[in-house]
Amino acid sequence: MANKVVIITGGSSGIGKALAFEFGKNGYSVVITGRNPQNLSQAEKELQDFKIKAKGIVCDSASEEDTRAMIQEVVDLFGGIDVLVNNAGISMRSMFEDVQMEVLKQVMDINFWGTVYATQAALPYIKNRKGGIIGISSIAGYRGLPVRSGYSASKFAMNGFLEALRTELIGTGVHVLTACPGFTASNIRNASLNSAGKITGETMREEDKMMSAEEVALEIFQAYLKKKKTLILTFQGKLTVFLNKWLNGILDQMVYNTLKKEKDSPLK
Ligand SMILES: NC(=O)c1ccc[n+]([C@@H]2O[C@H](COP(=O)([O-])OP(=O)(O)OC[C@H]3O[C@@H](n4cnc5c(N)ncnc54)[C@H](OP(=O)(O)O)[C@@H]3O)[C@@H](O)[C@H]2O)c1
């Protein structure tokens, strides 16, 4: 695998950073992106200290122009792309009736459009190497969550897009994996936006009771090697997807009750 190249969007924190270590440990050259240059160079350094060939490129996934330039830079530097991991993402927390439209648009721009921009720009190179595309979606892409309407919508959109793409790419040798983690300890809840678009700055859940980003990254890497189409993580996540399909009638109240228990929940 010495010459294989992976791009991980949002690779400076959480699941993306753990994936960078996982691919790097397995011989890939790793490109990570993010908006904050300090966090990015810190993650780049940590990877390099681990003897991983790593490059951080500042890139806002919500910008098509930035994303196309980032993909071109990777091709110029490394000569091609084997795997793209669409991981960059943010969350939000607000009742729908209170949320500013700009919040929903921002979440959609990063989570969904970011995936679309990077995938289209990288696809010719990935096809050339019969590589893969991984989307880091969520259980919220199978089951809508109250006070996360924009986040759920962005993940449902990702799931539909990736399923269509996977089908379209039959016969090309390109593998598409939709990975849906359950609650995972990371910075995502601290960085989530409130109804006015301000960063929440604190988590509303018990992070130490969640799967670690490293455990999630290992599961995703193994699912990719096994050429799985979808990966659904955590017992709670699997149960939610199962019940939503087969016992949909009772799930609204169950999901409502669960989200209502979060610290300072806007649900009454
Ligand atoms: N943690 C969970 O419970 C959980 C569960 C299911 C799915 N997921 C998904 O997993 C993915 C990673 O989340 P995480 O939990 O690891 O969160 P995290 O720790 O907050 O990491 C998010 C990463 O994305 C980057 N990012 C955010 N906006 C960006 C943008 N516009 N352009 C480029 N990079 C951007 C961040 O860097 P900058 O801020 O510097 O840009 C950071 O590196 C997300 O797609 C999330 O929806 C998470």
Side-chain angles (χ1 to χ4, degrees):
M1 282 187 185
N3 296 317
K4 291 207 173 185
V5 178
V6 60
I7 300 175
I8 301 164
T9 66
S12 59
S13 169
I15 297 169
K17 186 166 148 186
L19 276 167
F21 273 97
E22 200 52 51
F23 275 91
K25 280 191 285 184
N26 284 281
Y28 280 75
S29 298
V30 178
V31 176
I32 52 172
T33 73
R35 293 164 301 179
N36 182 306
Q38 282 80 31
N39 295 348
L40 198 59
S41 49
Q42 174 62 31
E44 183 192 62
K45 188 177 173 309
E46 285 174 37
L47 288 159
Q48 289 169 349
D49 287 348
F50 211 80
K51 305 280 176 259
I52 291 169
K53 192 171 174 192
K55 167 88 183 149
I57 300 178
V58 175
C59 173
D60 182 351
S61 289
S63 159
E64 183 181 359
E65 202 185 340
D66 275 21
T67 300
R68 287 197 183 275
M70 179 274 290
I71 298 287
Q72 191 56 54
E73 190 177 339
V74 174
V75 173
D76 292 345
L77 282 172
F78 293 92
I81 303 163
D82 293 276
V83 184
L84 167 69
V85 186
N86 289 299
N87 167 78
I90 62 162
S91 191
M92 45 76 65
R93 192 202 202 198
S94 168
M95 296 295 277
F96 171 69
E97 64 179 347
D98 300 328
V99 74
Q100 287 182 7
M101 281 299 147
E102 203 40 54
V103 174
L104 303 183
K105 286 181 183 168
Q106 206 179 323
V107 171
M108 208 69 186
D109 279 348
I110 298 170
N111 299 6
F112 173 65
W113 283 107
T115 298
V116 172
Y117 299 147
T119 301
Q120 200 188 49
L123 189 54
Y125 305 103
I126 294 171
K127 268 175 111 170
N128 196 27
R129 293 197 175 180
K130 298 194 186 318
I133 295 160
I134 304 176
I136 311 300
S137 180
S138 171
I139 303 302
Y142 278 95
R143 165 70 224 188
L145 301 182
V147 301
R148 311 266 206 286
S149 55
Y151 183 73
S152 288
S154 73
K155 296 299 184 181
F156 267 74
M158 271 182 83
N159 284 8
F161 167 69
L162 291 166
E163 185 173 78
L165 184 71
R166 187 181 77 219
T167 312
E168 201 172 299
L169 291 175
I170 285 176
T172 63
V174 176
H175 177 61
V176 179
L177 166 67
T178 306
C180 297
F183 289 115
T184 307
S186 81
N187 195 45
I188 195 153
R189 280 158 290 275
N190 296 297
S192 67
L193 304 179
N194 67 16
S195 52
K198 296 270 176 304
I199 289 173
T200 316
E202 60 169 0
T203 183
M204 64 300 282
R205 301 190 70 90
E206 292 177 279
E207 299 287 325
D208 56 355
K209 298 212 170 127
M210 298 176 189
M211 248 178 119
S212 72
E214 290 72 23
E215 288 169 318
V216 169
L218 180 62
E219 295 264 6
I220 294 170
F221 186 71
Q222 287 174 344
Y224 177 70
L225 290 186
K226 288 181 191 153
K227 293 202 181 301
K228 284 195 175 178
K229 294 175 182 177
T230 52
L231 173 71
I232 295 168
L233 287 173
T234 74
F235 174 72
Q236 186 187 34
K238 288 183 194 357
L239 188 66
T240 303
V241 173
F242 177 83
L243 291 178
N244 196 48
K245 191 166 179 190
W246 301 109
L247 278 174
N248 188 273
I250 63 164
L251 211 65
D252 282 6
Q253 195 64 51
M254 279 175 73
V255 171
Y256 184 96
N257 293 345
T258 303
L259 274 284
K260 195 178 156 189
K261 282 189 200 135
E262 287 185 338
K263 183 170 174 269
D264 303 326
S265 175
L267 293 170
K268 300 286 175 300

